[in-house]
C-alpha cells in the first residue's frame, strides 16, 4: 500500500515539474498540429490558386527547328517546348541562365517586363481579385520562394489570404503560389519541430530534449491517469 | 480549475497513448538518418545529360503533328538514349494524374515502358550489390509511394534492405527508391499522422478528433500549471 502511494506521489511530482518546464511546448505542439491537420494540404499548397490550364501546342506554329537551336546553343540542357501565354516557345537552361526562344522565329524572348509579369500571373491565377502590387526579385528570395526560381516576379493579388503568384522572369513559367494559409502553416511547422529558423533541421537538440522529457512526463501522466480512474472504486470500498 | 482538471482527465484518457506515439515517433524523426529514411542508401548519382547537339534528333514539329495534342514536349534521356516526352493532360505536379506519350527521339517510335525497360532504368539508378529479383506493374495507391497517382513499375532488388526502385510506367521517370529504412520511417509517419487508412495524408477525421482532444489536454494542463504556479507550488494539491 505504501509503495503504491509512493508511486503516485512520485509520478505527480515529476509530471508536475516536467510539465511546468514543457507546458508551453505541449500547447505549441497541439495548436500547430491541429492547424496542420485541419487545413487540407492541397489547399495549403495553393493548388486552388491556379487554374492549371491545358492549352496545347499547335505544331503549325513550330517553324524554327530544334536542329538550329542546338547548333546555336550546343550546351543547352533541360530542353522543352511549351507555351508562354499563347505563344509556342523553346525553353532550356544554359549554365546558370534560362533561355526562352520564340518557336516560330527562333528569336530570343527577353526577360519579362513588369507589365508582362502581371499578364502572365493573371493567366495562371484562378481567383477573381485584382493585382495589388508587383515586385521583381533578383538576389534574395523571400522564405516562401526557392532561391533557384530567381529571378522572378512576385505578383500579389487582392484576395483572401493575400495570394502571391511567382512568375519566372526568364521563362514566364509559374514557379510558386503562396497565400497566408501556407505562410502560417510554414510558421506552425517550424514551431512544431522546434526549428525556429527555417524548419529544415528536424534533428535539433531542443526538439530532442523536449521529446525525451515529454515522453517521460507523459508516462508519469499515464500512471496518474490509472490512479485517477481506479480511485472511485477504492473510495467506495473504503467506506464503512 | 475544477473543469480544467476534468477536461485533463478525460482528454488524457482518449489521447494519452497516442501522445506516447506522437512523442516516440517524433523522437525517431529527430534522431533518424534522413538520407537513409529517404530511401537514398543505394541511389546512384545522376548520369550527366548527353550532348544533344551531337545526336540526330527528329524535329519536334513532326513528332507533335503525329500524336494527340500536347501541352509540353520535353527532351529527356533514358538509359543514355534520347526520347521526347509528350504531356497531353497535365497534372499540377508530376505525382498527380498525368497523361504522357514517350517517343524515341531518333526514329519517332512510340515506346511503352515494359518490364524489361523498367529493369534497365531501375538498374541505372541503383548502386547496391543486389540483382533484380522481380518486376511488377503497380496501380495506385502504392504502399511505398502513396502520393503517386500514376501507375508505377516496382523493380525489386535482392539486397539486405530489400530495395525497390519505382519507375513511372508512362514516362520512364524515376519516382524514387524505397527500402527497409524508408519503410520504417514511413511506418512511423503513418503512426504520427494516425493515417491508419493508408491515405498518405494527415487530413483525416480520426486525426482531427485526436487533435482536438490533444488541444483540450494541453490547454487544461497549461491552465493547471498556471494555477499551481500562482499558488507558488506551496499548497499541495489534494488527492
Amino acid at each position: 500500500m505504501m509503495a503504491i502511494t509512493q508511486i503516485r506521489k512520485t509520478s505527480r511530482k515529476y509530471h508536475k515539474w516536467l510539465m511546468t518546464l514543457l507546458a508551453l511546448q505541449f500547447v505549441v505542439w497541439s495548436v500547430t498540429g491541429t492547424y496542420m491537420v485541419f487545413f487540407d494540404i492541397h489547399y495549403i499548397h495553393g493548388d486552388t490558386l491556379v487554374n492549371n490550364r491545358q492549352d496545347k501546342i499547335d505544331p503549325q506554329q513550330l517553324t524554327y527547328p530544334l536542329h538550329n537551336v542546338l547548333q546555336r546553343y550546343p550546351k543547352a540542357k533541360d530542353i522543352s517546348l511549351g507555351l508562354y501565354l499563347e505563344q509556342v516557345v523553346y525553353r532550356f537552361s544554359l549554365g546558370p541562365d534560362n533561355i526562352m526562344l520564340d518557336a516560330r522565329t527562333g528569336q530570343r524572348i527577353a526577360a519579362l517586363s513588369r507589365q508582362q509579369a502581371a499578364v502572365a500571373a493573371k493567366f495562371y491565377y484562378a481567383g477573381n481579385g485584382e493585382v495589388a502590387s508587383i515586385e521583381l526579385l533578383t538576389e534574395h528570395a523571400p522564405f516562401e520562394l526557392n532561391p533557384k526560381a530567381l529571378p522572378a516576379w512576385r505578383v500579389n493579388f487582392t484576395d483572401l489570404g493575400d495570394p502571391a503568384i511567382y512568375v519566372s522572369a526568364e521563362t514566364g513559367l509559374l514557379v510558386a503560389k503562396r497565400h497566408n494559409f501556407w505562410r502560417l502553416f510554414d510558421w506552425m511547422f517550424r514551431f512544431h519541430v522546434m526549428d525556429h529558423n527555417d524548419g529544415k533541421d528536424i534533428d535539433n537538440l531542443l526538439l530532442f530534449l523536449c521529446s525525451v522529457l515529454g515522453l517521460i512526463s507523459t508516462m508519469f501522466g499515464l500512471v496518474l491517469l490509472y490512479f485517477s480512474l481506479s480511485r472511485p472504486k477504492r473510495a467506495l470500498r473504503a467506506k464503512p | 480549475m475544477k473543469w480544467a482538471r476534468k477536461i485533463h482527465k478525460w482528454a488524457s484518457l482518449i489521447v494519452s497513448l497516442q501522445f506516447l506515439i506522437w512523442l516516440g515517433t517524433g523522437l525517431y524523426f529527430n534522431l533518424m538518418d534522413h538520407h537513409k529514411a529517404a530511401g537514398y542508401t543505394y541511389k546512384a548519382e545522376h548520369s550527366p545529360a548527353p550532348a544533344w547537339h551531337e545526336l540526330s534528333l527528329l524535329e519536334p514539329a513532326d513528332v507533335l503533328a503525329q500524336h494527340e495534342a500536347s501541352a509540353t514536349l520535353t527532351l529527356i534521356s533514358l538509359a543514355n538514349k534520347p526520347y521526347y516526352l509528350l504531356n497531353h493532360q497535365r497534372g499540377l505536379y508530376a505525382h498527380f494524374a498525368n497523361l504522357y506519350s514517350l517517343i524515341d527521339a531518333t526514329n519517332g517510335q512510340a515506346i511503352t515502358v515494359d518490364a524489361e525497360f523498367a529493369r534497365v532504368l531501375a538498374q541505372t539508378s541503383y548502386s547496391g550489390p543486389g540483382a533484380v529479383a522481380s518486376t511488377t506493374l503497380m496501380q495506385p495507391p502504392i504502399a511505398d509511394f502513396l502520393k503517386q497517382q500514376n501507375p508505377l513499375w516496382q523493380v525489386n532488388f535482392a539486397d539486405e534492405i530489400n530495395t525497390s526502385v519505382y519507375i513511372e510506367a508512362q514516362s520512364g521517370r524515376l519516382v524514387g527508391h524505397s527500402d527497409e529504412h524508408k519503410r520504417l520511417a514511413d511506418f512511423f509517419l503513418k503512426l504520427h499522422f494516425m493515417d491508419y487508412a493508408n491515405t498518405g495524408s494527415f487530413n483525416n477525421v480520426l486525426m482531427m478528433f485526436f487533435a482536438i482532444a490533444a488541444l483540450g489536454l494541453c490547454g487544461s494542463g497549461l491552465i493547471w500549471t498556471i494555477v499551481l504556479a500562482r499558488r507558488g507550488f506551496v499548497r499541495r494539491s489534494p488527492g
Side-chain angles (χ1 to χ4, degrees):
Chain A
M1 210 46 198
M2 273 310 286
I4 288 175
T5 317
Q6 197 54 46
I7 290 172
R8 245 175 109 177
K9 264 192 174 162
T10 311
S11 300
R12 185 174 308 117
K13 187 171 138 197
Y14 287 115
H15 188 70
K16 192 169 81 179
W17 283 107
L18 283 171
M19 282 308 186
T20 305
L21 198 68
L22 300 169
L24 274 179
Q25 184 55 33
F26 268 76
V27 171
V28 167
W29 273 330
S30 57
V31 169
T32 54
T34 304
Y35 177 85
M36 291 191 282
V37 300
F38 267 81
F39 280 91
D40 179 75
I41 191 65
H42 301 303
Y43 180 73
I44 291 295
H45 284 155
D47 293 1
T48 50
L49 293 177
V50 292
N51 47 36
N52 191 27
R53 292 174 63 131
Q54 299 290 329
D55 307 76
K56 302 296 193 290
I57 302 170
D58 173 8
Q60 305 273 311
Q61 275 196 47
L62 181 45
T63 44
Y64 190 77
L66 175 66
H67 182 78
N68 296 16
V69 175
L70 292 174
Q71 292 311 310
R72 259 169 76 193
Y73 302 97
K75 294 205 167 113
K77 291 207 164 69
D78 310 311
I79 303 162
S80 69
L81 263 165
L83 295 165
Y84 165 55
L85 306 178
E86 259 111 58
Q87 189 178 358
V88 180
V89 293
Y90 286 101
R91 291 186 177 99
F92 52 89
S93 62
L94 202 64
D97 299 320
N98 291 299
I99 312 264
M100 180 158 63
L101 303 181
D102 185 322
R104 264 177 306 198
T105 61
Q107 203 162 30
R108 186 162 169 187
I109 299 173
L112 272 67
S113 66
R114 176 176 297 265
Q115 204 176 355
Q116 286 173 312
V119 172
K122 277 192 231 168
F123 184 81
Y124 296 125
Y125 186 56
N128 300 316
E130 296 299 316
V131 172
S133 59
I134 309 176
E135 186 188 351
L136 178 63
L137 307 161
T138 50
E139 304 253 312
H140 301 287
F143 74 98
E144 60 190 57
L145 182 69
N146 184 340
K148 280 184 195 159
L150 295 178
W153 288 96
R154 173 182 178 151
V155 182
N156 297 308
F157 286 86
T158 58
D159 276 315
L160 174 74
D162 299 326
I165 297 291
Y166 290 88
V167 179
S168 164
E170 294 176 318
T171 66
L173 287 170
L174 171 74
V175 285
K177 55 229 183 299
R178 300 290 185 229
H179 51 175
N180 288 342
F181 302 97
W182 184 92
R183 294 173 190 125
L184 190 56
F185 186 100
D186 191 63
W187 189 85
M188 295 271 184
F189 180 80
R190 278 182 274 156
F191 277 77
H192 200 79
V193 302
M194 302 188 78
D195 176 7
H196 305 117
N197 294 321
D198 59 6
K200 288 195 180 86
D201 299 320
I202 197 170
D203 50 351
N204 64 77
L205 184 64
L206 196 59
L207 178 63
F208 173 76
L209 289 175
C210 284
S211 320
V212 171
L213 294 179
L215 259 176
I216 296 168
S217 181
T218 304
M219 285 176 195
F220 284 126
L222 269 168
V223 173
L224 293 175
L225 175 65
Y226 171 78
F227 284 120
S228 172
L229 290 172
S230 57
R231 189 175 51 194
K233 250 195 214 161
R234 287 194 288 113
L236 267 175
R237 237 186 285 144
K239 267 183 188 168
Chain B
M1 181 57 191
K2 212 174 170 190
W3 57 266
R5 297 174 62 147
K6 229 175 207 152
I7 290 175
H8 203 71
K9 177 176 166 180
W10 293 110
S12 72
L13 182 64
I14 297 168
V15 86
S16 56
L17 286 178
Q18 183 59 39
F19 239 112
L20 285 182
I21 293 175
W22 280 328
L23 288 160
T25 52
L27 189 60
Y28 179 81
F29 304 141
N30 180 252
L31 294 174
M32 71 185 181
D33 180 331
H34 293 266
H35 186 79
K36 281 185 179 173
Y40 290 162
T41 306
Y42 290 137
K43 181 93 162 35
E45 295 284 313
H46 274 294
S47 50
W52 298 117
H53 67 285
E54 288 170 3
L55 305 168
S56 72
L57 304 173
L58 288 178
E59 275 306 319
D62 301 333
V63 174
L64 285 166
Q66 282 166 20
H67 293 88
E68 199 187 321
S70 308
T72 59
L73 171 148
T74 314
L75 181 56
I76 60 170
S77 166
L78 296 175
N80 285 319
K81 279 190 67 189
Y83 295 88
Y84 289 123
L85 183 65
L86 313 187
N87 193 333
H88 309 297
Q89 186 69 38
R90 254 195 316 176
L92 197 49
Y93 308 99
H95 65 270
F96 281 14
N98 278 279
L99 201 60
Y100 297 107
S101 299
L102 186 62
I103 312 297
D104 187 321
T106 55
N107 60 22
Q109 209 177 358
I111 301 289
T112 305
V113 179
D114 57 10
E116 177 55 39
F117 195 19
R119 268 196 291 279
V120 171
L121 293 176
Q123 272 160 337
T124 61
S125 162
Y126 179 73
S127 64
V132 172
S134 62
T135 309
T136 318
L137 181 61
M138 306 187 88
Q139 300 297 326
I142 295 158
D144 276 343
F145 284 96
L146 282 169
K147 285 182 186 145
Q148 299 294 326
Q149 296 176 12
N150 300 290
L152 308 179
W153 281 104
Q154 178 197 55
V155 182
N156 297 313
F157 287 84
D159 59 32
E160 80 289 358
I161 49 171
N162 291 318
T163 304
S164 303
V165 178
Y166 289 87
I167 302 291
E168 195 167 68
Q170 290 185 75
S171 67
R173 176 177 70 94
L174 172 75
V175 170
H177 290 209
S178 188
D179 56 43
E180 295 309 330
H181 300 303
K182 182 175 179 291
R183 285 178 198 117
L184 185 65
D186 284 353
F187 175 69
F188 283 141
L189 259 185
K190 188 205 303 216
L191 291 179
H192 199 83
F193 293 165
M194 302 189 77
D195 181 26
Y196 302 120
N198 287 326
T199 58
S201 159
F202 44 72
N203 298 127
N204 65 72
V205 178
L206 186 70
M207 184 73 190
M208 291 174 189
F209 175 73
F210 272 69
I212 294 293
L215 263 183
L217 183 63
C218 294
S220 59
L222 181 69
I223 290 166
W224 198 337
T225 314
I226 291 169
V227 169
L228 284 177
R230 282 175 69 177
R231 284 183 194 162
F233 290 100
V234 178
R235 236 186 298 164
R236 199 171 291 169
S237 51

